[in-house]
Amino acid sequence: MHTTYQPGTETETQAWEAVNRVVFPLSDQDLVLPLYAIEWTRPHLTDDVFNPRLDMESMQFGSMNGKAVRHLLNESIERHADTAASDVFTVDSRHAMTVLAGRHVSLCTFFNAFPASYWKRWTNISSVRFSAKVRGKGEIALYKSSGRGLFSALDTIRVDTTRDDAAAAGALFGNAAPDDAAPGSAAQAGFSDDANPAGFETVETVLPMSGLIDGGYFWFDAKASNDSTLQFEDAQWSVPRREKMAASAGSSDTGTAKSIGSANTTLSIAITTFNRAKYCLRQLQTIAHEPALVARLDTIYCTDQGTDLVRDLPGFEQTAQELGSQLTYLRQTNMGGSAGFSRGMYETLKAGTSSYTLLLDDDAISEPEAILRAVQFADYAKQPTIVGGGMLHLDNRTVLYTQGERFDAASVWMKPSQGLDYNHDFARFPLRDSPERHRRIDSDFNGWWMCLIPTAIMKEIGLSMPFFIKFDDTEYALRAAEHGYRTVCLPGVAVWHQAWHDKDPSRTWEWYFFQRNRWICGLLHCPKPSRRLAYEMLYSDINVGLKLVYSALHLQHMGLRDILRGPQYILDSMPGKMAEVRQERQSFDDTTLIADVDELPAPAREFTIPGTPTTSKAIKKSGLKAIVKALTSRGSGVKDVRPDVAVPADQAIWRSFVGVNSALVTSPDGSTAAWCKRDSTLFRRQLREGLRMSRTLLKHWDQLSREYREADIASVDAWGKVFKEQTITD
């Protein structure tokens, strides 16, 4: 066994718990492998990593000479790691890899780098142990990054299991290493084939948690010698078990005052589904087939709110038998995701055996190891902490939608943390080559595509707001923060989920809930409304109006009226509200969806992208002109016999409708189109109504804010009454 201990770390007798096991995909490798392992390439860091002042200066293109242009171009030409890497390594199993002779692989990837800075910030962990079983010849090199993305070597473990038995016996039985032997050198290594009959030998090293305040990861690279492959398996990052903070459910120790060592925690999983039976069954099967996860599982609460029932699918009975008492299948009327997830949270509290509830979307594809990582991170957190995961695109599997978001109270809207862009592609820009991604990214909330909530928090602050859908996850995290509980979106934890680019809520019944719940969230967590908030209300009306989506205007105002009715109305109306909303919008032209465009007259002209690229100042000026024109226009497409133009989904923005009286607009998913018709009189009437209602809301903001804050509509008791009335028994 190779063992390297850094000064000041735990002794050899320290008990460790593996919290990040290195894993590899066994299916869809061509789609997801860059998230797990990549070919090693020589690092290249651009000027901005070394010189933060560059972020302060705008580019002066007019003053650039040829040399400066060449420098700019050269800085942008980087050879990123080969993320295909079929001739570099092979995946042997879920936990094993072979590096081919003469090749070099890096595990500085989304799923396999250890997020050390997050453990430094949110836990009391003082050191981390890396261990792995190895066979062949080569070396394992361990690295640490800083918040700036700069790398430093920590240790190099040389591996050679091809030597003869005599050398192995000498290493095992007494050839003591000199005190000054280099870490990882052959002189410091000792191996035992008896412990690993298959010929694998164990290596390990302990790393201190230092230099990680702003950010940073630990990871390892594996390099095979020119004349031999290098295999490794069961690589893992472990932490001292005695520093665990969480107590198992039912324990009197809250975990906030002292570490509690070996306490075992368990989780329940809440999955809610509405007519996505096949996806939901796949989720259940994924969990059932992961032994390590099943060992920590109390119960999956599968709340079916649909008519296409999961239990009716072939394969459900077998999965139910495999899970046994670890699956509870519930049926209730459709009350949206907030009611479905709240049902799982409610049942978890009622059972009283789980330390956590994991909220998990039915149509997400899970990485089971990520669920375990979330639980184990929560176990070691200094205080009860909501642990969320990122969202990877289901149709572009290496693209991360977000790794943490902030809530802007002024606009009651969200934005990415640290100014990082949404939709980062790890196939094009691996973690290793993305220094900005090494900074610790703090969050205000996490989407409920995957989110672990401690039972202790649910007991104190209640369940989800009865929002049906939209803003329930944001509001819950903000409520938790007001009680002193933070949300951490942990790297290496994520699910694959359908991205938002094929959805436009403003063209569906969902817009009512989107806007209504947004402003309720503002009432709950923004006691002093800002001028920006008033602007956002007006902008919401104008934006959909310019796009001729008058049904969305109607739904926004319907939401404002319902907010003014008070919090109890929001709770009481939830079971039937979706049906009411769908009925309310049916009278508008933009809600009639056509699957076959030949059913309509052909548009008068083809669509062309209007104008040419221009400055942001000019765009704002054009937008103001478009607003004035829409407000003063007498134009109408109500009686048009054919659309003026067909607008594709990706161009369905305000500028595409300037000077257009009617348009055939494709839906974001490309399955239908709507014939949207200008009605200037209706638009002006709706806009006046929106202004009136917004003024009323802002005028009574203090009173309404107090009413919503003091209401009991998210309590366990309030939800219990709803579930008693809406549960379906058959």
Side-chain angles (χ1 to χ4, degrees), residues 299 332 348 364 373 613:
T299 305
Q332 64 187 29
T348 300
R373 290 175 183 176

Side-chain angles (χ1 to χ4, degrees), residues 83 392 488 573 606:
T83 56
L392 295 155
V488 176
S573 65
E606 292 183 350

Side-chain angles (χ1 to χ4, degrees), residues 42 76 100 106 121 123 139 243 294 307 356-357 373 421 448 457 472 491 566 578 588 598 675 678 708 721-722 729:
R42 189 177 302 281
S76 67
L100 303 183
S106 177
R121 171 65 180 88
T123 78
E139 62 183 33
E243 293 176 345
V294 170
T307 54
Y356 311 103
T357 299
R373 290 175 183 176
D421 293 334
W448 278 0
I457 295 179
D472 44 358
M578 184 188 70
F588 294 87
D598 287 336
W675 189 356
R678 184 179 299 279
Y708 275 90
K721 295 176 183 177
V722 173
T729 57

Side-chain angles (χ1 to χ4, degrees), residues 16 23 32 102 122 137 171 190 195 236 273 278 351 398-399 409 450-451 509 513 520 551 598 610 635 658 663 674:
W16 300 88
V23 294
V32 303
W122 302 110
K137 188 177 180 181
Q236 53 191 246
T273 186
K278 291 182 179 179
T398 58
V399 177
M450 177 187 186
C451 194
W509 55 268
F513 296 101
I520 293 177
S551 64
D598 287 336
V658 176

Side-chain angles (χ1 to χ4, degrees), residues 66 269 310 491 523 545 715:
I269 299 177
V310 180
L523 286 167
S715 71

Side-chain angles (χ1 to χ4, degrees), residues 267-471:
L267 79 156
S268 289
I269 299 177
I271 301 175
T272 181
T273 186
F274 176 76
N275 292 346
R276 288 175 175 166
K278 291 182 179 179
Y279 295 102
C280 187
L281 179 58
R282 180 186 62 190
Q283 190 72 277
L284 296 176
Q285 291 170 336
T286 298
I287 296 169
H289 297 159
E290 191 70 19
L293 178 55
V294 170
R296 299 292 295 268
L297 177 65
D298 280 326
T299 305
I300 302 172
Y301 294 105
C302 178
T303 303
D304 198 334
Q305 301 185 126
T307 54
D308 178 16
L309 301 181
V310 180
R311 71 181 184 189
D312 293 339
L313 287 181
F316 175 79
E317 284 299 327
Q318 180 181 347
T319 303
Q321 289 176 8
E322 292 173 358
L323 288 168
S325 62
Q326 291 177 299
L327 174 63
T328 299
Y329 181 78
L330 302 162
R331 287 196 62 206
Q332 64 187 29
T333 57
N334 183 26
M335 296 179 286
S338 65
F341 284 136
S342 286
R343 183 62 182 268
M345 298 160 76
Y346 174 82
E347 297 293 340
T348 300
L349 289 175
K350 189 168 68 172
T353 57
S354 298
S355 300
Y356 311 103
T357 299
L358 178 77
L359 310 184
L360 188 61
D361 262 350
D362 58 344
D363 58 346
I365 296 178
S366 298
E367 166 52 79
E369 174 65 22
I371 298 175
L372 287 169
R373 290 175 183 176
V375 172
Q376 290 171 310
F377 182 85
D379 282 349
Y380 286 86
K382 298 175 185 177
Q383 63 175 2
T385 299
I386 298 174
V387 183
M391 190 188 89
L392 295 155
H393 286 215
L394 196 59
D395 49 3
N396 292 280
R397 303 281 289 276
T398 58
V399 177
L400 180 69
Y401 170 68
T402 179
Q403 185 64 58
E405 293 181 275
R406 291 291 197 177
F407 177 75
D408 180 14
S411 61
V412 195
W413 201 246
M414 64 287 296
K415 59 185 178 181
S417 295
Q418 302 290 349
L420 295 176
D421 293 334
Y422 288 107
N423 304 315
H424 180 87
D425 189 353
F426 284 107
R428 293 186 60 209
F429 304 100
L431 176 63
R432 184 176 176 277
D433 299 329
S434 303
E436 75 283 357
R437 297 272 159 180
H438 288 247
R439 186 179 182 90
R440 192 189 70 251
I441 305 169
D442 293 339
S443 307
D444 288 331
F445 67 95
N446 195 91
W448 278 0
W449 46 75
M450 177 187 186
C451 194
L452 185 81
I453 304 176
T455 305
I457 295 179
M458 294 187 293
K459 288 179 179 178
E460 182 172 344
I461 74 171
L463 311 182
S464 166
M465 290 293 291
F467 278 172
F468 194 88
I469 56 172
K470 307 299 182 184
F471 270 87

